Amino acid sequence: MANTLISYNGADAYYNNDNTSAPFLKTAASNIYLNADCSNMFFNCRNLSNASFGNFINNFKMDFVKNCAEMFAYAFNFNQPINIPENVNNCSYMFYGAIKLNQPININANEADFSYMFASCTALNQNIIIPPNGTNYAYMFYACSGLNQNIIIPTTNNITGMFHTCITLDQNIQIPVGVQILSSVFRGCYNLNQNIQIPVGATACDGMFEECFNFNQNTLIPNSVNTCAFMFDGCKNLNQNIQMPNSAINCAGMFRNCPNLNQNIQIPNGVENCYSMFSETPTLDAFTMYIPASVNDARYMFSQKNNFRAWIYINKSTATRNFVGFVNNRTTGAAGYLMIYCNYATSALLRGTAPNNSITGSAISWSTSGSYYYNASMMIRIYYNYNG
């Protein structure tokens, strides 16, 4: 690799991506003033000893530094405390993959990019003080698998993925009013089971608790939230009657793969997307659900390899929505009928026999009896032209 000048006053250069002993770090003079751009300074220096890092850090000065992006990324042995001054404006990926880092990091930088700053620091378990007025906090602690601290979140607009895949985390993190986008913020926090309060004014909670296997809380979702897609997808222990917000529009996959869920959850008028909303949730049974006229995508809504009894009312006067695979994978021998009521003039859309438009996801034969179609083996009845 080519030499990269990083400082003056006694030190000449170092080697980016160097896996040698880097004698410069051991002989560096005191008061090394770093250049403004320190990005990638020790990127992928996997074999440098922590002692060498310590000698360097004890001598350097960051008075002029602006950019610390990826400064210690993949520096596997790095484990030193650092004070980051307020003049730094980019800390993104600064310690990415520094798998031994578990030291207090004092962040004074303000109006800086903190995205992925500690991502994949698997040993990190420090109560990091996050400064306010950052420009980007996305995925700041992504995959910090050892982190279990009650981190204080600053008032900001967007904390997308901040604790994504922090598999040990089980803290009642306080989310301040003013945070609007919480997409995937706790996704993959397998151990999390806290009653996290979603602030009024939040708008996006898509994937918020996705794959939180241990999560079983009756989370209150404020009526400001319009995106709940995959919010509880993969919450293996969840069995709460979650009240959906009246402002919800996109609820695709919201309760997908929740194998213990058996609640009578109601869908408010205004929801448009219910794609795969309850798929692979085999414990659902004996419930009544009203699907409002606003829904235009109900594909694979109840796609699951089980049988369930339900009374589902579909309220739409024009047959324009998509019901492909609505009850896909339904097997035979149900304990009771699945009753579907729709106020179409005919139920042709729901009972279509072609695999690409059938509610069952496969071609089946329908019989008629009075005002309904039925399939005896799959225990489905479709009532049409009801006054609902």
Side-chain angles (χ1 to χ4, degrees):
M1 299 291 292
N3 292 358
T4 304
L5 183 66
I6 61 169
S7 58
Y8 58 92
N9 190 18
D12 293 325
Y14 91 109
Y15 295 89
N16 182 7
N17 213 57
D18 189 9
N19 287 322
T20 69
S21 60
F24 152 71
L25 295 180
K26 298 179 181 179
T27 61
S30 60
N31 298 325
I32 303 170
Y33 286 88
L34 304 181
N35 288 339
D37 187 357
C38 290
S39 60
N40 301 292
M41 179 177 287
F42 295 106
F43 182 89
N44 203 36
C45 291
R46 303 183 179 202
N47 294 331
L48 293 180
S49 69
N50 192 47
S52 295
F53 282 124
N55 182 72
F56 172 75
I57 289 170
N58 288 335
N59 291 300
F60 76 40
K61 305 292 182 183
M62 298 183 68
D63 300 38
F64 306 111
V65 175
K66 298 293 185 183
N67 187 0
C68 290
E70 297 185 314
M71 186 175 183
F72 297 100
Y74 298 110
F76 289 167
N77 291 310
F78 181 78
N79 188 26
Q80 295 289 328
I82 286 184
N83 292 317
I84 303 173
E86 61 182 20
N87 45 277
V88 175
N89 59 30
N90 190 354
C91 295
S92 62
Y93 296 86
M94 184 173 180
F95 302 103
Y96 191 101
I99 59 176
K100 293 186 179 179
L101 178 64
N102 189 23
Q103 295 287 342
I105 306 296
N106 185 20
I107 309 173
N108 294 305
N110 212 353
E111 298 184 0
D113 183 347
F114 299 109
S115 60
Y116 292 91
M117 183 176 181
F118 298 101
S120 295
C121 292
T122 55
L124 185 70
N125 191 21
Q126 299 287 327
N127 199 340
I128 304 293
I129 306 300
I130 304 176
N133 302 321
T135 60
N136 190 352
Y137 297 97
Y139 300 93
M140 186 172 182
F141 298 99
Y142 172 76
C144 289
S145 57
L147 184 68
N148 190 22
Q149 299 288 332
N150 201 333
I151 304 290
I152 298 176
I153 298 176
T155 300
T156 184
N157 175 61
N158 189 343
I159 57 171
T160 294
M162 180 176 276
F163 300 102
H164 190 306
T165 320
C166 291
I167 60 177
T168 306
L169 186 69
D170 187 25
Q171 299 287 334
N172 196 344
I173 304 291
Q174 303 298 308
I175 303 175
V177 173
V179 176
Q180 295 182 324
I181 301 175
L182 295 90
S183 305
S184 299
V185 62
F186 298 109
R187 180 179 176 180
C189 293
Y190 302 158
N191 200 45
L192 184 69
N193 189 23
Q194 299 287 335
N195 192 5
I196 306 293
Q197 301 297 311
I198 301 174
V200 174
T203 58
C205 292
D206 47 306
M208 183 175 180
F209 299 105
E210 187 173 351
E211 296 177 342
C212 291
F213 299 155
N214 200 41
F215 190 79
N216 187 25
Q217 299 289 330
N218 196 343
T219 303
L220 179 63
I221 308 173
N223 284 328
S224 55
V225 174
N226 54 49
T227 300
C228 300
F230 305 99
M231 185 173 181
F232 302 101
D233 181 15
C235 290
K236 307 289 188 183
N237 283 341
L238 183 68
N239 188 22
Q240 301 287 338
N241 196 347
I242 305 292
Q243 182 174 347
M244 295 179 58
N246 292 331
S247 54
I249 296 174
N250 184 0
C251 297
M254 186 173 181
F255 299 100
R256 186 176 69 173
N257 196 22
C258 293
N260 283 303
L261 184 69
N262 189 18
Q263 301 289 337
N264 199 359
I265 293 172
Q266 296 303 309
I267 302 173
N269 190 35
V271 172
E272 297 177 4
N273 190 350
C274 290
Y275 168 77
S276 194
M277 187 173 179
F278 297 97
S279 65
E280 304 304 326
T281 303
T283 48
L284 281 175
D285 189 36
F287 62 92
T288 300
M289 181 174 292
Y290 295 85
I291 300 179
S294 57
V295 173
N296 55 42
D297 189 349
R299 291 173 299 149
Y300 305 102
M301 188 170 177
F302 296 99
S303 176
Q304 51 206 358
K305 294 179 180 178
N306 80 308
N307 294 289
F308 60 94
R309 296 161 296 165
W311 298 263
I312 299 176
Y313 295 81
I314 299 173
N315 185 2
K316 194 174 179 70
S317 57
T318 57
T320 58
R321 76 181 77 196
N322 193 338
F323 281 94
V324 171
F326 184 65
V327 288
N328 192 41
N329 289 328
R330 184 174 173 83
T331 54
T332 60
Y337 271 95
L338 170 61
M339 315 288 275
I340 301 177
Y341 301 84
C342 62
N343 59 353
Y344 299 163
T346 69
S347 59
L349 178 71
L350 288 179
R351 65 178 176 84
T353 56
N356 65 345
N357 71 352
S358 171
I359 66 164
T360 62
S362 60
I364 64 173
S365 298
W366 296 94
S367 301
T368 60
S369 178
S371 62
Y372 66 88
Y373 292 85
Y374 70 96
N375 180 277
S377 64
M378 299 184 75
M379 306 293 281
I380 299 174
R381 289 185 182 180
I382 302 174
Y383 291 81
Y384 60 94
N385 205 23
Y386 87 103
N387 295 319

